[in-house]
């Protein structure tokens, strides 16, 4: 994936130990969802963005705020509404009477963690204001480019049940999110624990484990994770299986394959490895690929989901063996 120096074992162990401390800190507030927290941190280390789709009140905003507090990062929350303007997100240039010149006033997108709450309630024009900054990590206002702070993570939320007055996210914008996650309801024991400590379990109560500069170093380390040649082909074949699936109208694009390998590199490092395995790719297929699929009308009528299609696709692709030879497909 890269030509940089391979990671040393002390670097890998140090990364995994710090990632475990970050996850433990976030898990103190987001109870009973260790895999969701791990995937959100994976997106942070892979320089990706997270789309959280779930019902209200399950901790979507808390998760984003807890990550920001844990890495001592600046965070901003944007409540998306139908009357929100693009300039309300990116910022505006205002004429200063005192200096007789124009000054740029940055919008809330200039933060390390940006929470785009109920993103599907804003107009498509305002939604598109996030596109450039999510991909390029800069905002262009009046022809001038302004870089956002690093690291930079957008955590967007949307409510799947109240569809009145919402604008469906276009495929081009969905493709900008590295992973799409669902927090889900907690189990009974966890919910009882939440009730016991409802007033004290707050992101504001968290102590920072590290700082944004160290997170930037972790992002750079994730780019140095080794990917064996057969796994490049395996990732491509997983995407090809979605494109050739009879129930899929539009399969995963090359950008989706790049996202899968980037996420797998960070995921492997969190696990304490300087190389990725086929299991990493298989674990990440659903959160990385599901929101990039468009099912056929027939599949939608029959109630099929992207997750089902991906399970079939993964089962149809032989897993490469260490020698480079594919293993037989499991019946």
């Amino acid at each position: 994936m890269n030509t940089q120096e391979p990671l040393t074992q002390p670097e890998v162990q140090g990364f995994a130990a710090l990632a475990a401390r970050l996850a433990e800190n976030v898990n103190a507030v987001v109870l009973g969802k260790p895999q969701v927290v791990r995937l959100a941190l994976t997106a942070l280390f892979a320089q990706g963005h997270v789309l959280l789709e779930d019902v209200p009140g399950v901790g979507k905003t808390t998760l984003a705020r807890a990550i920001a507090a844990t890495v001592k990062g600046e965070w901003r929350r944007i409540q998306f509404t139908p009357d929100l303007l693009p300039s309300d997100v990116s910022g505006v240039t205002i004429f200063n009477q005192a200096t007789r010149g124009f000054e740029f006033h940055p919008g809330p997108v200039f933060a390390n963690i940006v929470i785009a709450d109920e993103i599907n309630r804003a107009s498509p024009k305002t939604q598109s204001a996030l596109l450039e900054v999510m991909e390029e990590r800069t905002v262009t206002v009046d022809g001038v480019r302004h870089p956002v702070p690093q690291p930079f993570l957008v955590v967007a939320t949307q409510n799947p049940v109240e569809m009145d007055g919402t604008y469906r996210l276009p495929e081009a914008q969905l493709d900008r999110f590295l992973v799409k996650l669902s927090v889900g309801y907690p189990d009974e024991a966890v919910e009882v624990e939440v009730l016991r400590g409802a007033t004290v379990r707050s992101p504001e109560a968290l102590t920072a484990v590290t700082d944004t500069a160290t997170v930037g170093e972790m992002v750079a380390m994730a780019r140095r994770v080794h990917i064996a040649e057969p796994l490049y082909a395996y990732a491509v074949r997983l995407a090809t299986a979605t494109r050739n699936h009879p129930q899929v109208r539009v399969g995963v694009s090359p950008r989706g394959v790049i996202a899968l390998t980037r996420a797998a590199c960070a995921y492997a490092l969190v696990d304490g490895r300087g190389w990725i395995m086929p299991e990493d790719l298989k674990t990440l297929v659903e959160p990385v690929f599901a929101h990039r699929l468009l099912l056929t009308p027939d599949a939608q009528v029959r109630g099929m989901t992207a997750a089902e299609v991906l399970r079939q696709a993964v089962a149809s692709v032989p897993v490469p063996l260490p020698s480079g030879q594919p293993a037989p497909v499991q019946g």
Side-chain angles (χ1 to χ4, degrees), residues 10-169:
E11 285 179 316
V12 173
Q13 291 173 344
F15 185 108
L18 182 52
R21 288 170 56 206
L22 293 172
E24 182 181 7
N25 210 44
V26 177
N27 283 324
V29 174
V30 184
L31 301 181
K33 301 296 177 181
Q35 183 64 3
V36 173
V37 170
R38 179 176 177 178
L39 289 172
L41 290 174
T42 295
L44 176 65
F45 300 140
Q47 281 196 303
H49 304 289
V50 179
L51 177 62
L52 294 172
E53 183 176 89
D54 221 322
V55 295
V58 293
K60 301 187 295 294
T61 304
T62 300
L63 171 62
R65 290 173 58 193
I67 292 174
T70 298
V71 302
K72 207 173 183 178
E74 187 177 3
W75 69 275
R76 293 286 184 272
R77 179 177 176 271
I78 309 171
Q79 180 64 55
F80 278 69
T81 56
D83 60 348
L84 193 74
L85 300 175
S87 59
D88 295 330
V89 174
S90 57
V92 294
T93 301
I94 298 176
F95 184 76
N96 189 320
Q97 294 279 6
T99 62
R100 309 298 295 175
F102 288 94
E103 293 179 354
F104 175 65
H105 289 242
V109 80
F110 285 84
N112 298 114
I113 311 287
V114 177
I115 306 169
D117 218 356
E118 294 192 284
I119 188 174
N120 56 333
R121 294 207 174 277
S123 67
K125 187 175 182 180
T126 302
Q127 290 173 5
S128 67
L130 277 178
L131 287 177
E132 180 199 6
V133 67
M134 288 174 66
E135 187 70 18
E136 306 295 334
R137 298 174 193 275
T138 60
V139 171
T140 302
V141 177
D142 295 332
V144 180
R145 291 164 67 89
H146 305 274
V148 294
Q150 299 297 326
F152 178 68
L153 173 70
V154 172
V155 180
T157 71
Q158 62 178 9
N159 181 352
V161 291
E162 291 182 17
M163 300 311 292
D164 291 341
T166 63
Y167 301 86
R168 178 177 168 272
L169 289 180

Side-chain angles (χ1 to χ4, degrees), residues 181-257:
L181 306 175
S182 173
V183 178
Y185 291 114
D187 60 35
E188 182 178 320
V190 169
E191 196 160 2
V192 169
E193 184 64 22
V194 169
L195 291 175
R196 283 178 179 154
T199 57
V200 296
R201 296 189 187 279
S202 167
E204 285 83 2
L206 293 179
T207 302
V209 172
T210 187
D211 54 27
T212 54
T214 304
V215 173
E217 294 172 6
M218 297 173 82
V219 168
M221 288 175 64
R223 299 194 195 104
R224 294 163 54 198
V225 171
H226 175 69
I227 302 181
E229 285 300 322
L231 293 183
Y232 284 116
Y234 182 57
V236 171
R237 287 170 187 152
L238 288 173
T240 302
T242 68
R243 299 166 194 163
N244 297 334
H245 196 284
Q247 303 299 330
V248 174
R249 182 158 56 95
V250 179
V252 175
S253 69
R255 187 191 347 229
V257 185

